[in-house]
Amino acid sequence: MRTTLSAATTAALAFCLSSSPALAALDDGVLGKLLNAGKPDTPARSDSGNESAAASEPAAAAKPAAAPRGAEANNLPPQIGGRFSEPFAEPTLVVDGKTVETEERCLTREDGTLSCKPAAGTVANLGAGRFVYLNALEGTENVELSIVAEFGEVTVNDQSRVLTLGEGDTPSWKKPSPLDGGANPEGNDSETIARGLPGVPNGILSTADNTAKNDGALFCADVVFLADGSMMAVGGTDYYTEPGVDGLPVGVVELEGLKSSRIFDPQSNTWTQSGDMTFGRWYPTLVTLADGDVFVASGVTKLLKPVYPEQPLNSGRNVTQTETYDLDTGRWSENGDAAQRSLPLFPRLHLLPNGQVYYNAGGQAFNPFGQAYDQALWNIVAAYDPDTQQWTDLGYAGLPLKFNEIGLKELTSTLNPTNLNGKQVTSLLGDLVGTTASNPAAAIEQLADTPVDARTLERTIGSGMRGSTFSAMLPLRPDENGGYHEAEFLTAGGVPTYVTVGSPGGYLPVSSSRIDTVEVNGDDMRYSSRLTGPLSRPRWYSYSVVMPDDSVMIFSGGDRDGVVVPGAEGAIREAERFDLQTETWQVMTRAHRKRTYHNTALLMPDGRVLVGGHSPINTAYASNINLDSIGLANYESRDPSFEIYTPPYAMRSDRPVIENAPTDLETNGDTFTMTVSNPAVDQVMLIRRTATTHLVDGDQRAVELPIVSRSGNTLTVQMTANPAVLPAGQYMLFASFQAADGKRVPSVSTPVGVAPNPAGQGEINQPEPAAPVADGEDSKGLVGGLLAGDGLLGSGQAADDVSPIMPITDLLSGVTSIIPAPGELIEGAPAVGEELTQAGKRAAGVGVDTATSLPEAGKGLAEDLGESAGNNEADGE
């Protein structure tokens, strides 16, 4: 029976919503003007799925101007906003052993469960038009009551696929062997709470030892390319219920991090096992070091109930120990006590030009209440030195408080309760006392440099750790001496800490955008941060892609955190482009599909972008209830489709062509020659192939190489001798020029393998800086700003015309965007009623199954307890 809301109920609800003061946030209202201040490209509200408004608007004029607002962005001419291809997906499904061709995402098996196509929750560019991708959250489609109650029993290991785009982008798919990556075929040695406690055997009130079908999921592993082009996946998930009873379909789910590392060979399409880590890690981050070894940090061994009887001080937080993978031996080794650090899940890590690993104060907070009792330390940006195996605290993210300049470079390490030692405390106190004695006002002077202007509130609230945000390493560029001494990192959107809140994240995202800079000269490092133009709207979980035309693109995401309350976020389909020269964002065209959680995007060799994914958590942690009909994200199931975004430069007829270039290079400092079709080419750039998940690719980098001479169309290009600038691996070589219209036009890339200098052995070879880099913020600072009458006490508006109350209006935008338009609500109410009816039927079915299973499950539990008691008595004898 189809359930609908009565006409009276629908009309009353629509009237209440339409008369709500929150709807005063429309573009033409006063609140709307505040919301849109400084944001020339702001859409009016979350994507509603209603295309009629866009269709009724006239097409934008074909001229180089800022993109229109709202639905008009979908009408941008392709030469301004780019274009998305029609979605395409794997055409077949295997159901009960039979291959079925279907356009559906899922089909029903004989036992009533669903078989679904995998989605690209993780993806990597293998080159030559080939991409490997991994599914996420496989089995959620079979949850009937609650993902918390059932997922430990219904989930299965995630599938992998290889997509090949042939001539004319004709797609084809192959299934790797083994399909699920092959970890733990005999089960995982799970770290349950009861494990090791006197008199309580492992397995009582837990199904950890009885769910082999989901002991080796690839989901929530991080991926990294090795130097030879193979890809390694590290970590992953073991699911079970704890507490739970064998034979019952419900319990309390647990997600446990795996110790596994698996290597995918793109030549044979096969997975093999490599050495296990010491610690199980769910949501870790990987970074390739200058010598080719791989560094891993963070992750959690038990997510929902992080209790470790054998390591009580590590309970209640993520894995603090770091490890390094030896590329030659295939083994992991722990980096020692000083290398420990409390970090968020999937921390945003990058390799600096001095060979140290930089933490950019971003990650997955997972929920507003965080994941660690020491999560306040996540706000501090820092760098890890693989040689000394120690961390250096650099500063408080987004503020000019530079810890390494005021004797606090070891603050976080000293506060680590699992690394308490006198040497560390003595070292910190010595640095602090020495610095304080020479300059007792250092910390106050640094804080006094904080600008007081129209963006003071944004700068303050937006400082610290950002949850569910990208961190894009901007192109590394050489100075006049050929050295790379400045690394910049773009961060935008995500959920902030809100400074005073004890949580590492929030629910409503921001539109604030900033660039963090680390200047390096050997071990000397200097941190600074500056605000850029904001995003067009608050945005959660957008995927960044560094483009070969000196821009950064972001794709997909939502207007609220889809992990805190899954299914209540509105999807954002408009792409946005960040211009590195103006440091402003511009709305581009709109994708076809709604992609929020576990979406992906990566640069293709021809300069286009492959966009895919969308594997949301079940609605409100229950079952799949799709509220798409009233303008929220599509929660029908995982989306197995892809779209290809073609940027404006890829449609031009004047793209240069690389006619001849080397396919192999070494980081030896030598020069090489290449031939291009256009003598106006003035930039040569190597961009590393992407291997990414959860907005993270620790190895993502674009490096400009100096053109030292030219003869007609032949360029002589200088290769760096620094393997920390170009770690060994597979890259794409682009050549570009500045066209008469001011646009940078890149070529299609050619593949290049970068190998370490055999004589260098990973040594960091870096020239001295040509000149010190100027401060990022040009401001009178706290005292100067107040005395001059600027900022909060003056005009109240910055030069870039950004609203002074943008953080507040961002929050209001997040609140109001959840309210459906009256027409949407009336039109979508019947579909919502049907979804809720079906959810109720599914829940009733689980209740019946649980009731009928209780007698047998209780009998089995009694036998297990009796056997346990007998074993304990025998042990006592």
Side-chain angles (χ1 to χ4, degrees):
M1 184 178 77
R2 186 176 181 85
T3 301
T4 61
L5 297 179
S6 69
T9 301
T10 301
L13 183 56
F15 174 79
C16 291
L17 292 175
S18 62
S19 60
S20 169
L23 293 184
L26 296 175
D27 278 351
D28 295 332
V30 175
L31 181 55
K33 292 178 180 178
L34 283 173
L35 287 169
N36 298 333
K39 301 179 185 179
D41 315 321
T42 309
R45 57 158 311 211
S46 294
D47 178 68
S48 65
N50 185 352
E51 305 296 341
S52 60
S56 66
E57 296 291 339
K63 60 182 181 179
R69 287 167 31 162
E72 296 175 25
N74 205 34
N75 287 319
L76 283 174
Q79 64 267 31
I80 294 179
R83 64 167 175 255
F84 282 92
S85 71
E86 290 297 320
F88 59 94
E90 188 176 12
T92 60
L93 260 173
V94 176
V95 183
D96 296 322
K98 297 179 181 179
T99 300
V100 181
E101 187 167 331
T102 178
E103 294 183 358
E104 298 295 325
R105 300 181 183 184
C106 304
L107 293 176
T108 305
R109 302 184 183 99
E110 291 180 358
D111 64 2
T113 61
L114 293 174
S115 175
C116 299
K117 298 175 182 178
T122 298
V123 66
N125 176 8
L126 300 176
R130 300 175 69 233
F131 307 88
V132 61
Y133 64 96
L134 319 176
N135 199 16
L137 292 173
E138 187 140 3
T140 51
E141 63 275 0
N142 291 313
V143 169
E144 298 181 329
L145 172 65
S146 165
I147 191 173
V148 175
E150 297 174 73
F151 200 43
E153 300 297 323
V154 304
T155 184
V156 294
N157 289 344
D158 305 290
Q159 304 176 65
S160 58
R161 289 287 191 277
V162 173
L163 163 68
T164 300
L165 294 176
E167 186 175 352
D169 294 330
T170 302
S172 60
W173 282 263
K174 285 188 177 180
K175 296 181 179 180
S177 177
L179 197 63
D180 65 356
N184 303 321
E186 305 301 323
N188 183 46
D189 187 16
S190 307
E191 298 287 343
T192 59
I193 295 174
R195 185 182 182 88
L197 294 179
V200 183
N202 189 35
I204 297 298
L205 297 181
S206 169
T207 66
D209 293 335
N210 301 289
T211 52
K213 63 183 179 181
N214 53 21
D215 279 353
L218 281 161
F219 172 61
C220 294
D222 195 15
V223 289
V224 66
F225 275 126
L226 302 181
D228 62 359
S230 60
M231 185 190 75
M232 183 164 65
V234 172
T237 314
D238 172 18
Y239 300 94
Y240 50 87
T241 55
E242 183 184 23
V245 177
D246 292 338
L248 286 184
V250 295
V252 180
V253 70
E254 184 55 82
L255 288 71
E256 182 165 319
L258 301 180
K259 300 175 182 178
S260 306
S261 57
R262 301 171 252 197
I263 296 178
F264 175 76
D265 180 357
Q267 302 302 317
S268 62
N269 287 340
T270 57
W271 289 96
T272 57
Q273 305 303 303
S274 190
D276 282 353
M277 296 179 291
T278 304
F279 300 91
R281 300 177 189 268
W282 185 86
Y283 272 36
T285 294
L286 304 171
V287 176
T288 300
L289 302 176
D291 61 2
D293 291 346
V294 178
F295 174 79
V296 66
S298 191
V300 68
T301 301
K302 284 173 68 72
L303 176 69
L304 302 178
K305 300 174 281 293
V307 177
Y308 312 113
E310 297 175 358
Q311 298 182 48
L313 288 179
N314 276 329
S315 297
R317 62 177 182 167
N318 302 329
V319 178
T320 59
Q321 294 85 352
T322 65
E323 301 181 59
T324 299
Y325 179 81
D326 189 303
L327 193 63
D328 295 326
T329 65
R331 295 180 179 176
W332 293 91
S333 59
E334 194 177 343
N335 292 323
D337 291 344
Q340 294 184 22
R341 189 174 187 89
S342 179
L343 294 167
L345 299 173
F346 274 127
R348 288 13 177 186
L349 301 177
H350 309 267
L351 184 68
L352 294 172
N354 63 354
Q356 298 197 32
V357 177
Y358 171 64
Y359 164 59
N360 197 28
Q364 298 303 114
F366 191 77
N367 61 59
F369 307 105
Q371 187 63 34
Y373 57 77
D374 53 1
Q375 61 201 23
L377 301 176
W378 297 352
N379 295 307
I380 300 173
V381 296
Y384 168 76
D385 188 340
D387 292 332
T388 64
Q389 297 185 322
Q390 291 181 316
W391 288 88
T392 297
D393 292 336
L394 299 180
Y396 191 96
L399 294 178
L401 187 60
K402 301 174 179 64
F403 287 172
N404 61 326
E405 295 181 10
I406 56 174
L408 293 175
K409 67 179 182 180
E410 296 175 336
L411 175 65
T412 301
S413 298
T414 306
L415 293 176
N416 180 14
T418 57
N419 181 33
L420 296 174
N421 63 77
K423 182 179 178 181
Q424 188 81 53
V425 174
T426 302
S427 175
L428 173 67
L429 291 177
D431 288 345
L432 183 58
V433 171
T435 304
T436 303
S438 61
N439 186 6
I444 297 175
E445 290 172 355
Q446 287 187 354
L447 287 173
D449 287 337
T450 304
V452 175
D453 52 29
R455 303 186 73 176
T456 298
L457 186 61
E458 176 192 354
R459 186 176 288 105
T460 303
I461 290 182
S463 65
M465 182 255 183
R466 290 273 184 91
S468 297
T469 182
F470 67 87
S471 177
M473 187 178 192
L474 299 180
L476 288 171
R477 305 190 191 276
D479 62 18
E480 293 179 359
N481 291 347
Y484 297 82
H485 295 279
E486 183 181 83
E488 294 191 315
F489 306 90
L490 175 68
T491 301
V495 289
T497 59
Y498 303 117
V499 183
T500 57
V501 181
S503 162
Y507 174 51
L508 300 175
V510 294
S511 59
S512 181
S513 172
R514 76 177 186 228
I515 292 176
D516 294 329
T517 302
V518 182
E519 300 168 39
V520 299
N521 184 18
D523 292 335
D524 293 333
M525 291 173 285
R526 182 176 184 272
Y527 169 77
S528 60
S529 181
R530 67 184 183 273
L531 293 175
T532 75
L535 294 169
S536 70
R537 63 198 296 185
R539 195 163 185 147
W540 169 83
Y541 213 84
S542 58
Y543 233 100
S544 69
V545 178
V546 176
M547 308 291 280
D549 69 335
D550 287 351
S551 72
V552 177
M553 294 282 299
I554 60 171
F555 301 89
S556 308
D559 56 11
R560 286 173 299 282
D561 192 318
V563 175
V564 177
V565 186
E569 77 273 17
I572 299 176
R573 291 191 287 156
E574 289 82 6
E576 290 197 47
R577 180 183 184 272
F578 181 78
D579 187 297
L580 269 63
Q581 301 302 315
T582 63
E583 296 192 353
T584 57
W585 290 92
Q586 179 184 23
V587 174
M588 306 298 276
T589 197
R590 176 184 292 175
H592 297 278
R593 294 288 177 85
K594 298 180 177 182
R595 306 179 192 273
T596 56
Y597 202 32
H598 301 127
N599 72 80
T600 48
L602 55 71
L603 184 67
M604 299 169 63
D606 60 6
R608 297 180 298 164
V609 179
L610 183 68
V611 177
H614 181 59
S615 298
I617 301 170
N618 292 29
T619 308
Y621 291 92
S623 59
N624 278 334
I625 303 172
N626 189 18
L627 304 178
D628 174 64
S629 62
I630 58 171
L632 301 181
N634 187 299
Y635 270 54
E636 175 187 349
S637 65
R638 281 173 270 113
D639 191 336
S641 73
F642 293 91
E643 300 172 57
I644 297 175
Y645 172 75
T646 302
Y649 65 69
M651 305 176 198
R652 297 177 65 124
S653 60
D654 58 348
R655 295 186 74 180
V657 176
I658 299 176
E659 297 176 340
N660 185 43
T663 57
D664 295 288
L665 293 170
E666 292 180 356
T667 49
N668 53 16
D670 291 346
T671 60
F672 65 90
T673 60
M674 59 184 293
T675 305
V676 294
S677 63
N678 188 336
V681 165
D682 60 356
Q683 182 171 288
V684 174
M685 183 175 288
L686 281 170
I687 300 182
R688 191 176 176 98
R689 288 187 199 161
T690 301
T692 183
T693 187
H694 285 77
L695 314 179
V696 174
D697 178 7
D699 285 352
Q700 169 266 314
R701 61 187 47 231
V703 179
E704 182 181 346
L705 301 178
I707 300 173
V708 296
S709 67
R710 65 177 68 235
S711 176
N713 291 12
T714 300
L715 309 177
T716 300
V717 182
Q718 182 79 50
M719 186 62 174
T720 181
N722 185 351
V725 171
L726 285 170
Q730 306 302 307
Y731 290 78
M732 299 175 289
L733 180 68
F734 288 91
S736 64
F737 75 100
Q738 195 87 10
D741 59 4
K743 305 294 185 182
R744 179 156 292 278
V745 184
S747 66
V748 170
S749 73
T750 61
V752 176
V754 174
N757 179 9
Q761 299 180 343
E763 181 180 347
I764 308 299
N765 190 340
Q766 182 86 301
E768 288 294 319
V773 182
D775 289 350
E777 290 279 9
D778 182 15
S779 168
K780 298 182 178 66
L782 179 63
V783 178
L786 290 174
L787 293 178
D790 292 339
L792 294 179
L793 302 182
S795 65
Q797 198 73 349
D800 55 2
D801 200 36
V802 176
S803 169
I805 59 171
M806 190 180 77
I808 298 173
T809 55
D810 275 354
L811 296 179
L812 290 173
S813 174
V815 171
T816 60
S817 62
I818 198 171
I819 303 173
E824 261 182 335
L825 183 65
I826 295 171
E827 186 176 332
V832 171
E834 177 67 16
E835 289 284 336
L836 295 175
T837 298
Q838 295 303 321
K841 291 179 179 178
R842 293 194 297 268
V846 173
V848 172
D849 291 344
T850 302
T852 56
S853 301
L854 278 173
E856 192 65 27
K859 179 181 177 182
L861 179 60
E863 292 174 352
D864 287 344
L865 292 173
E867 182 180 346
S868 170
N871 290 337
N872 290 335
E873 290 178 4
D875 292 340
E877 295 176 358

